[in-house]
Amino acid sequence: MAEANLDPVFQIQRVYLKDVSLEQPNSPEILLNQEQPAVDIQLGVEATPIADGLYEVSVTATVHTKIEDKTVFMVEAKQAGIFEIRNMAPEQLNAVLGIACPQIVYPYLRGNVADVIQRGGFPPVNLAEINFQAMFEQQQAAAASAAQEAPQIIV
């Protein structure tokens, strides 16, 4: 009788640009302004099971630039990957989904965001390198803290 192979499996199935948008609501007038815009960058990571042993992991970036209260441009982009992950303990799986997968997807997101901004007529905004392990650990600590602070109902 053949034994089932229980070795951990981690394979990249596909990396793709899931969504991207560029908005310039105040063009062309705002383009004549010579002030340096304020830049706000937000990042997010999401992991979703899509089939047995298959997960979609996406990294989202929002780059919003303003001069005073007027938007110069806003880019929203979501880069995703499909990963086959099998035979891992839940804590290992969470770390792979929260650290390893985003590290693979993020460089593609960085390139696509810089390209879209440049194609919009602006100097590229280069997203900084991200320590996904530190980000994951902060999220885990925040979740644990929130669980401890939640009111407990005693019956």
Side-chain angles (χ1 to χ4, degrees):
M1 194 152 102
E3 290 184 27
N5 184 357
L6 297 178
D7 290 339
V9 174
F10 177 79
Q11 291 185 349
I12 303 166
Q13 298 295 318
R14 179 175 301 241
V15 175
Y16 55 98
L17 181 61
K18 188 164 183 165
D19 187 24
V20 66
S21 70
L22 168 67
E23 298 174 24
Q24 296 185 43
N26 295 300
S27 292
E29 297 83 15
I30 197 83
L31 300 175
L32 301 176
N33 193 324
Q34 296 299 311
E35 268 184 72
Q36 195 66 18
V39 179
D40 178 46
I41 300 172
Q42 302 292 321
L43 291 174
V45 175
E46 191 177 342
T48 309
I50 54 175
D52 183 40
L54 292 176
Y55 299 85
E56 179 189 60
V57 176
S58 59
V59 181
T60 304
T62 302
V63 179
H64 193 178
T65 60
K66 287 182 168 184
I67 295 177
E68 295 172 12
D69 64 340
K70 291 193 174 195
T71 295
V72 178
F73 69 84
M74 185 166 74
V75 171
E76 294 175 310
K78 181 183 278 193
Q79 190 79 38
I82 297 173
F83 299 88
E84 179 181 4
I85 307 170
R86 299 181 190 279
N87 305 326
M88 288 191 191
E91 60 276 359
Q92 283 181 307
L93 176 63
N94 288 337
V96 168
L97 292 172
I99 301 168
C101 295
Q103 285 176 329
I104 292 167
V105 170
Y106 185 66
Y108 295 94
L109 177 69
R110 288 180 72 206
N112 284 325
V113 167
D115 186 53
V116 165
I117 291 170
Q118 197 167 9
R119 288 177 186 270
F122 301 98
V125 172
N126 294 307
L127 301 177
E129 290 290 330
I130 301 295
N131 182 339
F132 285 100
Q133 182 167 353
M135 189 173 159
F136 177 76
E137 289 169 358
Q138 287 174 346
Q139 290 170 341
Q140 296 297 310
S145 174
Q148 288 178 346
E149 294 175 6
Q152 296 181 359
I153 300 172
I154 301 173
V155 181

